[in-house]
Amino acid sequence: MHFWPSVVVATPAHSGVGASLTYRSELLLAPGTLVRVPLGAREVLGVVWDCPHEPPEGLTEARTKAVAGVLEGLEPLNARWRQLVKFAAQYYQRGLGEVALAALPPQLRDLSNVQLARRLKRRPATGTGDAAVCGASPDGHDLSVEQRLALDALADAQAPVLLFGATGSGKTEVYLRATQRVLAAQGDAQVLVMVPEINLTPQLEARFRERFEPLCGAGAVVCLHSGMTPAQRLSSWLSAHTGQARIVLGTRMAVLASLPGLRLIVVDEEHDPSYKSQEGARYSARDLAVYRAKVETQALPEGERCLVVLGSATPSLESWHAADQGRYLRLAMPARIGGGALPRLRLVDMNHQPKGAVLAPPLIDAMAERIGRGEQCLVLLNRRGYAPVLACHDCGWKSQCAHCSAFRVFHKLDRTLRCHHCGFTERVPRACPDCGNLDIAPVGRGTEQVEEQLVSLLAEVKRPDGAAARVARMDADSTRLKGSLELQLATMHSGEVDVLVGTQMIAKGHDFRRITLVASINADSGLFASDYRAPERLFALLMQAAGRAGRDAAQSAASEMWVQTWYPQHPLFASLKQHDFPAFAMTQLAERLSAGMPPHGHQALLRADARTQQAAQAWLNAAAQAALGLPHVEDVTLYPAVPLTIQRVANVERAQLLVEAASRGALQRFLAAWQPVLLETRSLPEARGLIRFAVDVDPLVI
Ligand code: ADP
Ligand code: ZN
Ligand code: ZN
């Protein structure tokens, strides 16, 4: 007597959503069981999807292989998890096995049962998970009225919640209390808290540990993100899967973790683009979180639910629109804790500043004054390195990358020209490589240059203790070494540094207490970019950056956000001045409606990488041609293939084709019909030179 389990394994992309392989087994294997199965010459990890008594038509014993073994001691992955994975694969047009296996820790593949048993035993002890223990009340502050109202509303919410809270309004405390309530109500409840980039916000992790480890035990809080070692990832995953971890803090990948007791999902800074994956299955972890909460709720007894909370001071227009329509419950916390004011906006009209000034003199004066009072400043710009281009003014040579359609960035500190797209790095030439001119010069500015200028412009400025003002820089270059980010944040918190220059990483959720001035010095590129989401991103960035200032209520009245711009009349600044996100969202949504853009319309991209631009476009256009006879094609618009903004990266040419539909359903029906056709077009003559293709559903950048 045999069973015929169908098993999903990590298959190459696009091998079809329903793809699973049939094996033989002596044992009846529950769906979700983790197994090792032979595949070609190897043995691979797989997940049992189904285990029928009868073989599928046409399969005989001789033509199937036996399951090699079961991963012992692990409960099967439950039906809700499997439904989530299946949905993600279908919705984002990827292989079921690819998505399922990518959601499991890589090390699980390599462990023998003996090793696995050892790992399972080695887990730090959690408390009993006793509701009474976890229910003890936190010592901490009293909730503000707004926090209390939001928490009460959360308890009764019947829909996903959009927590629209100003920066410094105390959203984190609401997450902590909501978590506490869920854990106290149920001895085996689990909470998933997602953040855009965990390393940038070590404070959040510290606050969860501080609050819950004394209550629920040392192993109650675990992290899950791609910066962890394989061993750490396995350990966290096992904790989550066995229910020992009560709280999982993670980045977007955590949305696919196995969490059998899941009762609450928090998506902090829900508007952040890093929730959308840009490779493999290009899923949105925020959208999957909403779906996951729905699936979990459906499996619970009547009246109980798994709640999902999306938090932001500048929500995505998708979520804002959903709240407008009543699909999400919007809870607002407009006031800052302690009654502090949001910083005042100061626009610096660059048309009236000395020619060539990178930093406007009035801004420098304002900074000097703050430093003199012992306050701190942040200076934000979106480019690292010294200058984005190095150029020869005699012959027109520029520091073009040999492999990309982009310029190499001049890094003065190590005298290199570096391509930020492919990594190609060379020493800065002594003279122009084309004409020998010795006078090659940087064009434009990056963080290194602004740091250098600030050091010289503030050279005479003294802190209250009489010491000279200190300027530091924080960006991907300065934080590359392990531990350097934490160190830099610490010098900021301790007040050693007076001015911090950096890319947008300095604007993220840090709770710096002494910042009273934030400056954005080159925001204009976001005002006129061709990308229709650019204003939304700029508004969010500036609001978030402003949110770093005046977090101490005593200083908040004098806190300021400076923006240097050539276009002070731009309407975006009018909303920003009022801190009026709703007004900004309303105008943006109206524009999107008239243009049929998301969230009023739905999009997917077909992307192609090829040896030549012509080959990439030829294949895309052939794929569009092949779609013409398909069902549901009349419900979508297929646009002609176009090159990407940066069309060549590492010698690969990139092009894309936009698909639009009025409804999500119509787009999904068409993509499902198109998927098998796309696979067939790989054998067309037009596919010569094609390297790979990918579908991006709900793309963030088009
Ligand atoms: P947000 O995430 O909304 O920007 P935080 O949760 O970081 O805001 O809260 C801002 C600051 O206010 C933090 O230092 C936090 O410890 C403090 N805080 C939060 N809630 C309260 C409260 N009810 N009473 C006093 N301080 C609070
Ligand atoms: Zn030259
Ligand atoms: Zn390059």
Side-chain angles (χ1 to χ4, degrees):
M1 166 94 180
H2 283 309
F3 297 94
W4 304 83
S6 63
V7 177
V8 302
V9 297
T11 44
H14 314 304
S15 59
V17 165
S20 61
L21 303 171
T22 297
Y23 289 87
R24 262 182 299 123
S25 162
E26 309 274 305
L27 301 170
L28 177 63
L29 298 173
T33 303
L34 284 157
V35 291
R36 291 183 203 88
V37 291
L39 185 71
R42 296 176 305 146
E43 207 172 274
V44 298
L45 184 65
V47 181
V48 174
W49 220 252
D50 196 9
C51 195
H53 293 253
E54 300 294 331
E57 271 247 351
L59 266 194
T60 59
E61 211 172 308
R63 292 183 50 206
T64 51
K65 292 180 181 171
V67 170
V70 171
L71 271 71
E72 283 164 17
L74 288 181
E75 285 291 312
L77 293 154
N78 68 31
R80 284 106 62 205
W81 184 85
R82 298 198 308 276
Q83 188 176 336
L84 172 71
V85 164
K86 187 171 161 197
F87 171 80
Q90 270 168 353
Y91 188 86
Y92 295 104
Q93 305 287 313
R94 301 297 286 203
L96 178 60
E98 184 197 8
V99 176
L101 273 292
L104 301 174
Q107 237 189 20
L108 209 49
R109 290 171 215 167
D110 310 324
L111 293 184
S112 69
N113 277 347
V114 176
Q115 289 168 316
L116 183 58
R118 218 177 292 142
R119 295 298 143 88
L120 281 166
K121 222 188 285 164
R122 210 192 284 158
R123 329 224 35 67
T126 338
T128 53
D130 174 3
V133 177
C134 281
S137 96
D139 35 48
H141 5 258
D142 292 333
L143 291 180
S144 70
V145 175
E146 287 185 350
Q147 285 173 323
R148 162 77 36 223
L149 288 173
L151 262 176
D152 289 348
L154 276 182
D156 301 328
Q158 298 299 314
V161 169
L162 179 61
L163 183 62
F164 171 50
T167 50
S169 62
K171 294 187 287 297
T172 312
E173 187 62 36
V174 173
Y175 306 151
L176 287 161
R177 299 288 179 117
T179 297
Q180 179 136 22
R181 191 160 56 196
V182 165
L183 296 187
Q186 202 106 32
D188 59 356
Q190 291 179 302
V191 175
L192 170 62
V193 180
M194 286 199 285
V195 291
E197 277 153 291
I198 221 161
N199 295 326
L200 287 183
T201 45
Q203 278 178 328
L204 184 82
E205 184 186 338
R207 283 174 75 182
F208 270 87
R209 288 194 186 281
E210 202 177 295
R211 181 74 56 90
F212 292 105
E213 284 182 346
L215 301 175
C216 309
V221 182
V222 299
C223 289
L224 209 48
H225 58 90
S226 55
M228 298 166 76
T229 66
Q232 288 170 329
R233 247 176 93 177
L234 175 68
S235 168
S236 292
W237 187 89
L238 287 174
S239 287
H241 178 66
T242 57
Q244 274 169 305
R246 307 292 305 279
I247 299 165
V248 172
L249 288 178
T251 51
R252 65 166 180 259
M253 67 188 286
V255 78
L256 294 171
S258 168
L259 289 155
L262 188 59
R263 287 302 181 101
L264 169 65
I265 309 178
V266 173
V267 185
D268 191 26
E269 307 293 356
E270 67 93 33
H271 64 280
D272 198 292
S274 71
Y275 284 120
K276 180 85 158 74
S277 171
Q278 294 300 337
E279 59 194 21
R282 296 174 180 228
Y283 63 86
S284 155
R286 177 193 66 220
D287 295 352
L288 286 183
V290 172
Y291 178 84
R292 185 168 194 178
K294 189 171 84 177
V295 171
E296 294 287 343
T297 298
Q298 282 164 353
L300 287 171
E302 183 76 31
E304 293 181 33
R305 58 180 303 114
C306 172
L307 189 64
V308 57
V309 181
L310 312 178
S312 177
T314 50
S316 64
L317 291 177
E318 279 77 4
S319 299
W320 192 258
H321 181 59
D324 283 347
Q325 292 183 316
R327 287 185 284 126
Y328 292 0
L329 172 65
R330 180 163 37 220
L331 301 176
M333 299 204 302
R336 285 187 135 182
I337 291 290
L342 285 163
R344 200 156 74 89
L345 181 69
R346 303 278 306 255
L347 292 174
V348 184
D349 187 343
M350 293 309 277
N351 297 294
H352 300 149
Q353 299 306 317
K355 199 163 173 291
V358 177
L359 295 148
L363 172 59
I364 294 297
D365 293 344
M367 290 173 69
E369 195 180 309
R370 312 244 158 198
I371 297 166
R373 292 205 299 257
E375 298 165 12
Q376 294 172 304
C377 306
L378 282 187
V379 178
L380 180 73
L381 80 164
N382 62 2
R383 283 205 190 103
R384 62 194 169 87
Y386 191 84
V389 189
L390 204 58
C392 166
H393 294 300
D394 274 3
C395 76
W397 173 87
K398 287 197 172 90
S399 56
Q400 177 78 41
C401 175
H403 311 291
C404 306
S405 47
F407 295 115
R408 281 174 301 163
V409 175
F410 171 40
H411 288 255
K412 191 174 177 186
L413 289 175
D414 57 3
R415 308 275 327 156
T416 57
L417 289 178
R418 268 191 248 160
C419 175
H420 288 185
H421 300 279
C422 74
F424 178 53
T425 302
E426 277 180 336
R427 301 268 316 153
V428 173
R430 275 174 199 290
C432 171
D434 284 359
C435 75
N437 172 19
L438 288 174
D439 194 21
I440 46 179
V443 180
R445 53 208 56 92
T447 46
E448 280 182 13
Q449 187 177 162
V450 170
E451 179 189 17
E452 186 185 272
Q453 294 214 357
L454 279 168
V455 167
S456 90
L457 288 167
L458 299 172
E460 304 300 317
V461 176
K462 298 274 182 287
R463 302 152 44 118
D465 62 7
R470 272 169 253 184
V471 180
R473 173 176 54 89
M474 190 167 117
D475 54 27
D477 297 317
S478 77
T479 55
R480 192 154 291 147
L481 292 176
K482 203 172 160 51
S484 56
L485 177 78
E486 291 75 3
L487 209 66
Q488 293 197 329
L489 289 174
T491 59
M492 201 55 198
H493 285 293
S494 71
E496 249 170 86
V497 166
D498 304 294
V499 179
L500 185 64
V501 181
T503 51
Q504 49 179 305
M505 71 162 66
I506 64 173
K508 303 270 165 155
H510 315 293
D511 195 14
F512 298 129
R513 306 306 299 182
R514 289 171 48 209
I515 291 179
T516 59
L517 185 152
V518 175
S520 166
I521 64 170
N522 67 344
D524 285 349
S525 58
L527 295 176
F528 303 104
S530 61
D531 177 1
Y532 72 97
R533 287 183 201 266
E536 179 185 358
R537 272 201 296 272
L538 177 61
F539 194 90
L541 176 64
L542 294 179
M543 284 281 273
Q544 196 165 35
R548 296 318 106 210
R551 293 177 77 84
D552 193 331
Q555 297 174 333
S556 69
S559 72
E560 289 177 341
M561 167 90 200
W562 288 62
V563 177
Q564 297 192 159
T565 176
W566 294 86
Y567 310 94
Q569 306 307 328
H570 196 284
L572 184 143
F573 294 128
S575 302
L576 190 67
K577 199 163 200 137
Q578 308 295 326
H579 305 286
D580 194 348
F581 179 80
F584 171 75
M586 198 160 75
T587 33
Q588 284 288 311
L589 283 169
E591 277 175 30
R592 301 260 185 107
L593 180 62
S594 63
M597 291 293 201
H600 294 289
H602 296 269
Q603 299 178 325
L605 287 175
L606 180 61
R607 289 177 183 267
D609 288 354
R611 304 264 168 246
T612 65
Q613 183 58 222
Q614 197 189 1
Q617 295 193 20
W619 180 78
L620 289 169
N621 290 329
Q625 199 63 37
L628 291 182
L630 292 176
H632 313 295
V633 70
E634 63 282 358
D635 299 333
V636 301
T637 308
L638 293 162
Y639 290 85
V642 292
L644 262 67
T645 314
I646 296 177
Q647 70 175 60
R648 189 166 55 106
V649 168
N651 297 319
V652 170
E653 288 283 341
R654 316 183 305 166
Q656 65 185 20
L657 183 157
L658 176 64
V659 186
E660 270 182 3
S663 81
R664 201 182 290 280
L667 182 62
Q668 282 288 322
R669 281 189 293 276
F670 168 73
L671 292 176
W674 203 20
Q675 176 83 0
V677 176
L678 291 178
L679 291 173
E680 285 166 20
T681 56
R682 294 210 70 150
S683 56
L684 292 179
E686 286 89 344
R688 278 188 52 195
L690 178 71
I691 299 167
R692 64 184 85 84
F693 72 88
V695 179
D696 188 347
V697 183
D698 305 333
L700 279 191
V701 181
I702 63 166

